Amino acid sequence: MSFARACLGALLALVLLAPAILWQPAAYAGPGHGVVNIGDDGAHRAPLSPDANPISYFGFSPLVIRLTGTTNPYFYIQTDNTITSAYITLTNGSTLSLIAAGSGYFYNTLTHAQAVYGYTAADYNHNFVGFLNVFQGATKAGQYNLFINILDSQIPSVVPHIVSVQAQQTPHVVNLYLPALYPATMDDAIVATAFYQDYADNYDFLNIIYTPQHFANRFHYATRNTVSGIGLGLFDNDASYGVPATHRLRGISVYPIVDYFDMAERASLHELGHQWINFLTVPKLQGVTPHWPVSSLDYGMMGWQCCGNPQGLDWPYQLTPLGGGDYQCNYAGNSLTYNSMELYLMGLVPSSEAGSYVVFTNQNQSCGTTLSGPVQTVTSADVIAQHGVRSPAWPSAQSKFRVATVVVSQSFLSADEMAFLDYFAARGSLTIPLGYTSGFAVGTTWPFYLATGGRGCLVTTIDFTGGCYRLELPLIRR
């Protein structure tokens, strides 16, 4: 792991407290990097951003550089015209000023040495470049963390093939050439409709990755729901996304920043979990959605939220009763698995295995040393009393899901760029623990198969039926 990432990991708590000063989507180093932007009717809502920022879009060109290469990446930002100057404080200690080109556009070129400075294999293909600082006159308007994607020896080569005038493909990724969306105007319906012009309705979920990139959180929303008993109404909006009449698509996960895409990482599993969790209106949950209230439910994949803010936060604590309704907070690290209530809502365990959890009446508290009662106990019986039995229920509920990853660009991506994205899409099908980095967070992640206790499987190939791979990368290439 690079010295910069190791040292800056200690700043995560500060990032949480001051997102407008130092912003990164993975600030809290865990699952809740986005929220469910969906009503009970399934209508798409605009993604929530942690702060209004003056940068409309940004990017490196190319998106990926070789560790052993000589490419000098070009960096650019498009601002809202209120920014008068900008520079990058690089990890090597130097400063790179961005050149103003008019109309709010700034750019400059990094040397290859600056871009890969401090990178080690423990950084898992994402290198911290430095801090982007933008100013409105003498006033700092924002500071942003910049990471660049690194292609090293652990990522195998792929040979993209052209599918149509607007699509090229590798085994796990489709790249759509959609210049009409420039400058990075996110419109998932246009992207999905373009995708289904070349591909059949063979996928339960779409991942959409946008370039140029936005400083915005990952998020997931359902396009269709046929599951009852989870608090979400039944609806079908697939036609709005160009889905053929078969209507297999269930939902879409959106990645506004390329280097936060990893189908094996907790954040991706968290967003996928929002297809089913949490829409419950069980009174004991005190109206908290789309994450969990302050409770023992928080130790799982979906995290918690507090004080009227829907943003998902990590909960790396397990609770021990102290008596009188109070509980001791015991640091345990972030859970690598969905908890049993989450698995029940996903249809992967019966209601009898959903477990029993305590929910605190006082929601304006968080784990320090203790949590103060009183508490109420919530079980699947409470969920069933409020919403009915989940249908389809285990073991009839679907447990194997196909995911197509689609990246939008204004020209076809290079073979190196496709290889990088293909690798991180393929990781979602693995059945072994994997190392990862996400922003300044670094550690071990369990892909979907392990996170569900072997109950679920993600198929991430585009053309092959496939399954969960019980082997290391590289996977089958063509």
Side-chain angles (χ1 to χ4, degrees):
M1 186 196 316
S2 69
F3 176 78
R5 178 174 266 120
C7 292
L8 286 167
L11 292 176
L12 288 175
L14 296 180
V15 177
L16 274 174
L17 294 174
I21 304 296
L22 179 61
W23 191 90
Q24 74 167 74
Y28 26 83
H33 307 326
V35 301
V36 174
N37 300 293
I38 186 172
D40 286 341
D41 60 351
H44 183 192
R45 307 291 188 247
L48 299 182
S49 178
D51 66 304
N53 70 75
I55 297 179
S56 303
Y57 61 89
F58 75 98
F60 285 100
S61 182
L63 290 171
V64 178
I65 62 171
R66 288 180 175 264
L67 178 62
T68 57
T70 58
T71 300
N72 299 322
Y74 173 90
F75 178 75
Y76 60 93
I77 59 173
Q78 177 63 57
T79 72
D80 61 3
N81 276 316
T82 66
I83 298 302
T84 56
S85 63
Y87 65 86
I88 302 173
T89 304
L90 296 165
T91 55
N92 67 3
S94 64
T95 297
L96 179 69
S97 295
L98 299 188
I99 300 167
S103 301
Y105 188 88
F106 294 81
Y107 73 95
N108 210 334
T109 300
L110 286 73
T111 67
H112 183 268
Q114 289 171 332
V116 302
Y117 181 82
Y119 178 80
T120 73
D123 291 313
Y124 294 104
N125 306 101
H126 305 107
N127 196 43
F128 178 59
V129 172
F131 296 110
L132 169 64
N133 304 274
V134 296
F135 289 82
Q136 295 167 332
T139 302
K140 180 181 281 191
Q143 181 169 295
Y144 304 81
N145 308 323
L146 294 182
F147 293 83
I148 195 166
N149 301 309
I150 303 293
L151 191 74
D152 62 15
S153 59
Q154 72 178 342
I155 296 183
S157 299
V158 297
V159 179
H161 73 273
I162 300 299
V163 176
S164 69
V165 294
Q166 66 176 1
Q168 67 170 341
Q169 178 196 314
T170 55
H172 302 87
V173 173
V174 173
N175 173 210
L176 291 181
Y177 163 58
L178 295 177
L181 288 187
Y182 192 87
T185 304
M186 296 199 300
D187 193 320
D188 308 338
I190 290 177
V191 175
T193 299
F195 172 78
Y196 286 113
Q197 289 173 2
D198 293 306
Y199 293 88
D201 183 25
N202 292 328
Y203 311 95
D204 299 292
F205 301 106
L206 296 183
N207 297 321
I208 298 179
I209 304 170
Y210 281 98
T211 67
Q213 304 171 75
H214 303 259
F215 287 113
N217 283 335
R218 292 160 283 207
F219 61 95
H220 178 91
Y221 60 94
T223 61
R224 181 173 65 96
N225 179 50
T226 59
V227 178
S228 60
I230 61 173
L232 181 64
L234 305 181
F235 59 87
D236 187 345
N237 292 334
D238 275 3
S240 299
Y241 296 86
V243 181
T246 45
H247 287 210
R248 176 170 176 172
L249 183 67
R250 292 175 175 270
I252 294 175
S253 292
V254 178
Y255 294 82
I257 300 181
V258 173
D259 44 290
Y260 288 95
F261 171 71
D262 179 355
M263 273 307 292
E265 203 245 310
R266 293 180 70 243
S268 291
L269 303 188
H270 170 98
E271 298 306 339
L272 185 60
H274 275 311
Q275 180 72 24
W276 307 276
I277 314 162
N278 163 33
F279 306 98
L280 301 177
T281 59
V282 176
K284 292 178 181 179
L285 298 179
Q286 303 187 53
V288 177
T289 60
H291 303 97
W292 295 121
V294 179
S295 65
S296 57
L297 284 161
D298 301 338
Y299 191 72
M301 197 60 69
M302 303 311 295
W304 72 295
Q305 65 192 63
C306 178
C307 315
N309 186 346
Q311 193 74 23
L313 302 171
D314 273 338
W315 186 275
Y317 306 100
Q318 292 185 333
L319 305 181
T320 302
L322 295 173
D326 297 342
Y327 281 76
Q328 176 76 38
C329 296
N330 303 302
Y331 182 83
N334 290 323
S335 174
L336 298 177
T337 65
Y338 296 95
N339 66 42
S340 55
M341 181 64 80
E342 292 165 351
L343 291 173
Y344 165 70
L345 294 171
M346 296 167 73
L348 298 180
V349 298
S351 60
S352 60
E353 296 182 16
S356 176
Y357 299 88
V358 294
V359 181
F360 291 84
T361 300
N362 177 11
Q363 287 291 302
N364 293 312
Q365 58 179 327
S366 60
C367 259
T369 304
T370 61
L371 288 170
S372 299
V375 297
Q376 296 185 80
T377 300
V378 63
T379 69
S380 61
D382 297 295
V383 175
I384 293 170
Q386 184 73 15
H387 299 292
V389 176
R390 190 197 195 276
S391 179
W394 178 91
S396 299
Q398 184 176 352
S399 60
K400 182 178 180 179
F401 303 95
R402 290 200 68 185
V403 184
T405 295
V406 181
V407 57
V408 178
S409 60
Q410 283 64 57
S411 61
F412 276 146
L413 298 182
S414 70
D416 280 357
E417 291 168 328
M418 291 293 284
F420 179 89
L421 292 167
D422 191 274
Y423 174 83
F424 280 98
R427 279 164 53 100
S429 290
L430 297 186
T431 63
I432 56 174
L434 299 169
Y436 82 98
T437 55
S438 181
F440 296 130
V442 59
T444 298
T445 188
W446 285 10
F448 188 75
Y449 176 84
L450 293 179
T452 60
R455 300 173 179 88
C457 174
L458 291 185
V459 180
T460 58
T461 48
I462 302 299
D463 285 344
F464 308 107
T465 55
C468 290
Y469 297 96
R470 293 172 174 81
L471 68 158
E472 296 273 3
L473 290 170
L475 303 177
I476 297 172
R477 300 292 184 215
R478 62 174 178 145

Coordinates of all heavy atoms in Angstrom, one line a residue, residues 269-321:
L269 N -22.2 -4.2 -3.5 CA -23.1 -5.1 -2.9 C -24.2 -4.4 -2.1 O -25.4 -4.8 -2.0 CB -22.4 -6.1 -2.0 CG -21.3 -6.9 -2.7 CD1 -20.8 -8.0 -1.8 CD2 -21.8 -7.5 -4.0
H270 N -23.8 -3.3 -1.5 CA -24.7 -2.4 -0.7 C -25.8 -1.8 -1.7 O -27.0 -1.9 -1.5 CB -23.9 -1.3 -0.1 CG -24.8 -0.2 0.5 ND1 -25.1 -0.1 1.8 CD2 -25.4 0.9 -0.1 CE1 -25.9 0.9 2.1 NE2 -26.1 1.5 0.9
E271 N -25.3 -1.3 -2.8 CA -26.2 -0.7 -3.8 C -27.2 -1.8 -4.4 O -28.4 -1.5 -4.5 CB -25.5 0.0 -4.9 CG -24.6 1.1 -4.5 CD -25.3 2.2 -3.7 OE1 -26.5 2.3 -3.7 OE2 -24.6 2.9 -2.9
L272 N -26.6 -2.9 -4.7 CA -27.5 -4.0 -5.1 C -28.6 -4.4 -4.1 O -29.7 -4.7 -4.4 CB -26.7 -5.2 -5.5 CG -27.4 -6.4 -6.2 CD1 -28.0 -6.0 -7.5 CD2 -26.4 -7.6 -6.4
G273 N -28.2 -4.4 -2.8 CA -29.1 -4.7 -1.8 C -30.3 -3.7 -1.7 O -31.4 -4.1 -1.2
H274 N -30.1 -2.5 -2.2 CA -31.2 -1.6 -2.2 C -32.3 -1.9 -3.2 O -33.4 -1.3 -3.2 CB -30.7 -0.2 -2.6 CG -30.1 0.6 -1.4 ND1 -30.8 0.7 -0.2 CD2 -29.0 1.3 -1.2 CE1 -30.1 1.5 0.6 NE2 -29.0 1.8 0.0
Q275 N -32.1 -3.0 -4.0 CA -33.2 -3.5 -4.8 C -34.4 -4.0 -3.9 O -35.5 -3.9 -4.2 CB -32.8 -4.6 -5.7 CG -33.8 -5.2 -6.6 CD -34.2 -4.3 -7.7 OE1 -33.5 -3.4 -8.1 NE2 -35.4 -4.5 -8.2
W276 N -34.0 -4.5 -2.7 CA -35.0 -5.1 -1.8 C -35.0 -4.4 -0.4 O -36.0 -4.6 0.4 CB -34.7 -6.5 -1.6 CG -34.5 -7.3 -2.8 CD1 -35.5 -7.9 -3.5 CD2 -33.3 -7.7 -3.5 NE1 -35.0 -8.6 -4.6 CE2 -33.7 -8.4 -4.6 CE3 -32.0 -7.4 -3.3 CZ2 -32.7 -8.9 -5.5 CZ3 -31.0 -7.9 -4.2 CH2 -31.4 -8.7 -5.3
I277 N -34.0 -3.6 -0.1 CA -33.8 -3.1 1.3 C -33.5 -1.6 1.3 O -32.7 -1.2 0.5 CB -32.6 -3.8 2.0 CG1 -32.7 -5.3 1.7 CG2 -32.5 -3.5 3.4 CD1 -31.3 -6.1 1.9
N278 N -34.0 -0.8 2.1 CA -35.0 -1.0 3.1 C -36.2 -0.1 2.8 O -36.1 1.1 2.9 CB -34.4 -0.6 4.5 CG -35.4 -0.4 5.6 OD1 -36.5 -1.1 5.6 ND2 -35.1 0.5 6.5
F279 N -37.3 -0.7 2.5 CA -38.6 0.0 2.3 C -39.6 -0.2 3.4 O -40.8 0.1 3.2 CB -39.2 -0.4 0.9 CG -38.2 -0.3 -0.2 CD1 -37.5 -1.4 -0.7 CD2 -38.0 0.9 -0.8 CE1 -36.6 -1.3 -1.7 CE2 -37.1 1.0 -1.9 CZ -36.4 -0.1 -2.3
L280 N -39.2 -0.8 4.5 CA -40.1 -1.3 5.5 C -40.7 -0.1 6.2 O -40.1 0.9 6.6 CB -39.4 -2.2 6.5 CG -38.8 -3.5 5.9 CD1 -38.1 -4.3 7.0 CD2 -39.9 -4.3 5.2
T281 N -42.0 -0.2 6.6 CA -42.7 0.8 7.4 C -43.1 0.2 8.7 O -44.1 0.6 9.4 CB -44.0 1.3 6.7 OG1 -44.8 0.3 6.4 CG2 -43.6 2.0 5.4
V282 N -42.4 -0.8 9.2 CA -42.7 -1.4 10.5 C -42.5 -0.3 11.5 O -41.5 0.3 11.6 CB -41.7 -2.6 10.8 CG1 -41.9 -3.1 12.2 CG2 -41.9 -3.7 9.7
P283 N -43.5 -0.1 12.4 CA -43.4 1.0 13.4 C -42.2 1.0 14.2 O -41.6 2.1 14.5 CB -44.7 0.8 14.2 CG -45.7 0.2 13.3 CD -44.8 -0.7 12.4
K284 N -41.7 -0.2 14.6 CA -40.5 -0.3 15.4 C -39.3 0.3 14.8 O -38.3 0.6 15.5 CB -40.3 -1.7 15.9 CG -41.3 -2.3 16.8 CD -41.1 -3.8 17.1 CE -42.1 -4.4 18.0 NZ -41.9 -5.8 18.3
L285 N -39.3 0.4 13.4 CA -38.1 0.9 12.7 C -38.2 2.4 12.7 O -37.3 3.1 12.1 CB -38.0 0.3 11.3 CG -37.8 -1.2 11.3 CD1 -37.8 -1.7 9.8 CD2 -36.6 -1.6 12.0
Q286 N -39.3 3.0 13.2 CA -39.4 4.5 13.4 C -39.3 5.3 12.1 O -38.8 6.4 12.1 CB -38.3 4.9 14.4 CG -38.4 4.2 15.7 CD -37.5 4.8 16.8 OE1 -37.5 6.0 17.1 NE2 -36.7 3.9 17.4
G287 N -39.8 4.7 11.0 CA -39.8 5.4 9.8 C -38.5 5.6 9.1 O -38.4 6.4 8.1
V288 N -37.5 5.0 9.5 CA -36.1 5.2 8.9 C -36.0 4.4 7.7 O -36.1 3.1 7.7 CB -35.0 4.8 9.9 CG1 -33.6 5.0 9.3 CG2 -35.1 5.7 11.2
T289 N -35.7 5.0 6.6 CA -35.4 4.3 5.3 C -34.4 5.3 4.5 O -34.5 6.5 4.8 CB -36.6 4.1 4.4 OG1 -37.3 5.3 4.1 CG2 -37.6 3.2 5.1
P290 N -33.6 4.8 3.6 CA -33.6 3.5 3.0 C -32.5 2.6 3.7 O -32.3 1.4 3.3 CB -33.2 3.7 1.6 CG -32.3 4.9 1.7 CD -32.9 5.8 2.8
H291 N -31.9 3.1 4.7 CA -30.9 2.3 5.5 C -31.6 1.9 6.8 O -32.8 2.0 7.0 CB -29.6 3.0 5.7 CG -29.0 3.5 4.4 ND1 -29.2 4.7 3.8 CD2 -28.3 2.8 3.4 CE1 -28.6 4.8 2.7 NE2 -28.0 3.6 2.4
W292 N -30.8 1.4 7.7 CA -31.4 0.9 9.0 C -31.3 2.0 10.1 O -30.4 2.9 10.0 CB -30.6 -0.3 9.5 CG -30.8 -1.5 8.7 CD1 -29.8 -2.2 8.1 CD2 -32.0 -2.2 8.3 NE1 -30.2 -3.3 7.4 CE2 -31.6 -3.3 7.5 CE3 -33.3 -2.0 8.6 CZ2 -32.5 -4.2 7.0 CZ3 -34.3 -2.9 8.1 CH2 -33.9 -4.0 7.3
P293 N -32.2 2.0 11.0 CA -32.2 2.9 12.1 C -31.0 2.5 13.1 O -30.4 1.5 12.9 CB -33.5 2.8 12.8 CG -34.0 1.4 12.5 CD -33.4 1.1 11.1
V294 N -30.8 3.3 14.1 CA -29.8 2.9 15.1 C -30.3 1.6 15.8 O -31.3 1.6 16.5 CB -29.6 4.0 16.1 CG1 -28.6 3.6 17.2 CG2 -29.1 5.3 15.4
S295 N -29.6 0.5 15.5 CA -30.1 -0.8 15.9 C -29.0 -1.8 15.7 O -27.9 -1.5 15.1 CB -31.3 -1.2 15.1 OG -31.0 -1.3 13.7
S296 N -29.2 -3.0 16.1 CA -28.3 -4.1 15.8 C -28.4 -4.6 14.4 O -27.6 -5.3 13.9 CB -28.5 -5.3 16.8 OG -29.9 -5.8 16.7
L297 N -29.4 -4.1 13.7 CA -29.6 -4.4 12.2 C -28.4 -3.7 11.4 O -28.1 -4.2 10.3 CB -30.9 -3.8 11.7 CG -32.2 -4.6 12.0 CD1 -33.4 -3.7 11.8 CD2 -32.3 -5.8 11.1
D298 N -27.8 -2.7 12.0 CA -26.8 -1.9 11.3 C -25.6 -2.7 10.9 O -24.8 -2.4 10.0 CB -26.4 -0.7 12.1 CG -27.6 0.2 12.4 OD1 -28.6 0.1 11.7 OD2 -27.5 1.0 13.4
Y299 N -25.3 -3.8 11.7 CA -24.1 -4.6 11.4 C -24.5 -5.6 10.3 O -25.1 -6.6 10.5 CB -23.6 -5.4 12.6 CG -22.3 -6.0 12.4 CD1 -21.1 -5.2 12.4 CD2 -22.2 -7.4 12.3 CE1 -19.9 -5.8 12.1 CE2 -20.9 -8.0 12.0 CZ -19.8 -7.2 12.0 OH -18.5 -7.8 11.8
G300 N -24.2 -5.2 9.1 CA -24.5 -6.0 7.9 C -24.0 -5.2 6.7 O -23.0 -4.5 6.8
M301 N -24.7 -5.4 5.6 CA -24.2 -4.8 4.3 C -24.8 -3.4 4.1 O -24.3 -2.6 3.4 CB -24.5 -5.7 3.2 CG -23.7 -5.3 1.9 SD -21.9 -5.5 2.1 CE -21.8 -7.2 2.2
M302 N -26.0 -3.1 4.8 CA -26.7 -1.9 4.4 C -26.4 -0.7 5.3 O -26.8 0.4 4.9 CB -28.2 -2.2 4.4 CG -28.6 -3.4 3.5 SD -28.0 -3.2 1.8 CE -28.8 -1.8 1.2
G303 N -25.8 -0.9 6.4 CA -25.4 0.3 7.2 C -26.6 1.0 7.9 O -27.7 0.4 8.0
W304 N -26.3 2.2 8.4 CA -27.3 2.9 9.1 C -27.4 4.4 8.7 O -26.6 4.8 7.9 CB -27.0 2.9 10.6 CG -25.8 3.7 11.0 CD1 -24.5 3.5 10.6 CD2 -25.7 4.8 11.9 NE1 -23.6 4.4 11.1 CE2 -24.4 5.3 11.9 CE3 -26.7 5.5 12.6 CZ2 -24.0 6.4 12.7 CZ3 -26.3 6.6 13.3 CH2 -25.0 7.0 13.4
Q305 N -28.4 5.1 9.2 CA -28.5 6.5 8.9 C -29.0 7.2 10.2 O -29.6 6.5 11.0 CB -29.4 6.8 7.7 CG -30.9 6.4 8.0 CD -31.7 6.4 6.7 OE1 -31.4 5.7 5.8 NE2 -32.7 7.3 6.7
C306 N -28.8 8.5 10.2 CA -29.1 9.2 11.5 C -29.6 10.6 11.2 O -29.2 11.2 10.3 CB -27.8 9.3 12.4 SG -28.0 10.2 13.9
C307 N -30.5 11.0 12.1 CA -30.8 12.4 12.3 C -31.4 13.0 11.0 O -31.1 14.2 10.7 CB -29.6 13.1 12.7 SG -28.6 12.3 14.0
G308 N -32.2 12.3 10.3 CA -32.9 12.8 9.1 C -32.1 12.8 7.9 O -32.6 13.2 6.8
N309 N -30.8 12.4 7.9 CA -30.0 12.3 6.7 C -30.1 10.9 6.1 O -29.7 9.9 6.8 CB -28.5 12.6 7.1 CG -27.6 12.7 5.9 OD1 -28.0 12.3 4.8 ND2 -26.5 13.3 6.1
P310 N -30.5 10.8 4.8 CA -30.7 9.4 4.2 C -29.4 8.8 3.8 O -29.4 7.7 3.3 CB -31.6 9.7 3.0 CG -31.2 11.1 2.6 CD -31.0 11.9 3.9
Q311 N -28.3 9.5 4.0 CA -27.0 8.9 3.5 C -26.6 7.7 4.4 O -26.8 7.7 5.6 CB -25.9 10.0 3.7 CG -24.6 9.6 3.0 CD -24.7 9.7 1.5 OE1 -25.5 10.5 1.0 NE2 -23.9 9.0 0.8
G312 N -26.2 6.6 3.7 CA -25.8 5.4 4.4 C -24.4 5.5 5.0 O -23.5 6.0 4.4
L313 N -24.3 5.0 6.2 CA -23.0 5.1 7.0 C -22.6 3.7 7.4 O -23.4 2.8 7.7 CB -23.1 6.0 8.2 CG -23.5 7.4 7.9 CD1 -23.8 8.2 9.2 CD2 -22.5 8.2 7.1
D314 N -21.3 3.5 7.6 CA -20.8 2.2 8.1 C -21.2 2.0 9.6 O -21.4 3.0 10.3 CB -19.3 2.2 8.1 CG -18.7 1.7 6.8 OD1 -19.5 1.0 6.1 OD2 -17.6 2.0 6.5
W315 N -21.3 0.8 10.0 CA -21.6 0.4 11.4 C -20.7 -0.8 11.7 O -21.1 -1.9 11.7 CB -23.0 0.1 11.6 CG -23.4 -0.1 13.0 CD1 -23.3 -1.3 13.7 CD2 -24.0 0.8 13.9 NE1 -23.8 -1.2 15.0 CE2 -24.2 0.1 15.2 CE3 -24.3 2.1 13.9 CZ2 -24.7 0.8 16.3 CZ3 -24.9 2.8 15.0 CH2 -25.0 2.1 16.2
P316 N -19.4 -0.5 12.1 CA -18.5 -1.6 12.4 C -18.6 -2.1 13.8 O -17.5 -2.4 14.4 CB -17.2 -1.0 12.0 CG -17.3 0.4 12.4 CD -18.7 0.8 12.1
Y317 N -19.7 -2.2 14.4 CA -19.9 -2.6 15.8 C -20.9 -3.7 16.0 O -21.9 -3.8 15.3 CB -20.4 -1.4 16.6 CG -19.6 -0.1 16.5 CD1 -20.0 0.9 15.6 CD2 -18.4 0.0 17.2 CE1 -19.2 2.1 15.5 CE2 -17.6 1.2 17.0 CZ -18.0 2.2 16.2 OH -17.3 3.3 16.0
Q318 N -20.6 -4.6 16.9 CA -21.5 -5.5 17.4 C -21.8 -5.1 18.9 O -21.0 -4.5 19.6 CB -20.9 -6.9 17.4 CG -20.8 -7.4 15.9 CD -20.3 -8.9 15.8 OE1 -19.7 -9.4 16.7 NE2 -20.7 -9.5 14.7
L319 N -23.1 -5.4 19.3 CA -23.6 -4.9 20.6 C -23.7 -6.0 21.6 O -24.1 -7.1 21.3 CB -25.0 -4.3 20.3 CG -25.0 -3.2 19.2 CD1 -26.4 -2.6 19.1 CD2 -24.0 -2.1 19.5
T320 N -23.4 -5.6 22.8 CA -23.5 -6.5 24.0 C -24.4 -5.9 25.0 O -24.2 -4.7 25.4 CB -22.1 -6.8 24.6 OG1 -21.2 -7.4 23.7 CG2 -22.2 -7.7 25.8
P321 N -25.5 -6.6 25.5 CA -26.4 -5.9 26.4 C -25.7 -5.7 27.8 O -24.9 -6.5 28.3 CB -27.5 -7.0 26.6 CG -26.9 -8.3 26.1 CD -25.9 -7.9 25.1

